Amino acid sequence: MKKLITLLLVLVSVGGYSQSKYVKKITSLEELERFNDTIENIKTNFNGDNYVDSVLILLNEYRKSNGVEIVTISESLSNVAHLQSQYCADNLIVTHKQNEESLESSFKRGWLFGEYDVIGEIVIERNIKNTLIREETISESIIEGFKRSNGHSYIMKKPNNVRCGISIIQSEKDKNKYFTVIVFSDI
């Protein structure tokens, strides 16, 4: 009975994505069990650091396809991004702000790491299950999500951005969710 309920829930979930050409089609109980095992494996072994390089590659491919020079990754900017992605993951919220005054903006968070020119920040929450249903990789899901937002897309394509920091954190409260923050600098 439990498997039947799970199958129905997944089918309803997949049906919600039926307009997308990227939908994972599950046609048997065995496929459903493998799919659920894959989700659980990713949730259990998730490490956002493993995806940073591929997010940077996809970001730079997007910039190049829009006639913009690539950005390089910066450890100190990644530390700035980490502060916000951890905050989002801890609070299960997508936000550019924090309650503590010294951390309330990406600009102020930059000061903690000697970064005085943080000029843009993009934040997104993604879902492991939905990423797999759409047959995207973790990194593709992040960049594609940002590209679908006019504001995020604009920041990713800004020609004066030359460095960035990337952080991807899985929520401990909901292991299915991961939060990505990318911050940019023009020097």
Side-chain angles (χ1 to χ4, degrees), residues 1 7 37 53 62 146 161 178 186:
M1 183 65 166
L7 176 61
D37 288 346
D53 290 342
Y62 184 58
F146 282 140
N161 290 338
Y178 54 100
D186 60 357

Side-chain angles (χ1 to χ4, degrees), residues 60-124:
N60 279 327
E61 285 176 359
Y62 184 58
R63 288 177 61 86
K64 286 191 284 188
S65 72
N66 284 281
V68 182
E69 294 293 319
I70 65 169
V71 292
T72 59
I73 197 156
S74 158
E75 184 177 345
S76 57
L77 285 173
S78 292
N79 290 333
V80 175
H82 180 81
L83 283 177
Q84 194 61 19
S85 61
Q86 188 67 63
Y87 181 85
C88 292
D90 289 347
N91 294 285
L92 290 173
I93 185 171
V94 175
T95 183
H96 294 280
K97 301 209 180 275
Q98 287 197 27
N99 291 334
E100 186 178 322
E101 185 177 343
S102 67
L103 302 174
E104 69 183 355
S105 69
S106 59
F107 186 72
K108 285 186 175 182
R109 289 187 291 276
W111 296 349
L112 296 174
F113 301 99
E115 292 287 350
Y116 302 103
D117 292 296
V118 175
I119 59 168
E121 176 183 74
I122 56 179
V123 180
I124 195 167

Side-chain angles (χ1 to χ4, degrees), residues 58-60 62-63 68-69 71 122 142-159 161 182 184:
L58 293 172
L59 169 62
N60 279 327
Y62 184 58
R63 288 177 61 86
V68 182
E69 294 293 319
V71 292
I122 56 179
I142 292 165
I143 294 299
E144 290 302 315
F146 282 140
K147 286 165 55 176
R148 286 189 287 272
S149 162
N150 289 335
H152 291 122
S153 177
Y154 172 78
I155 292 170
M156 288 194 306
K157 297 183 295 188
K158 270 183 95 171
N161 290 338
I182 305 177
F184 296 91

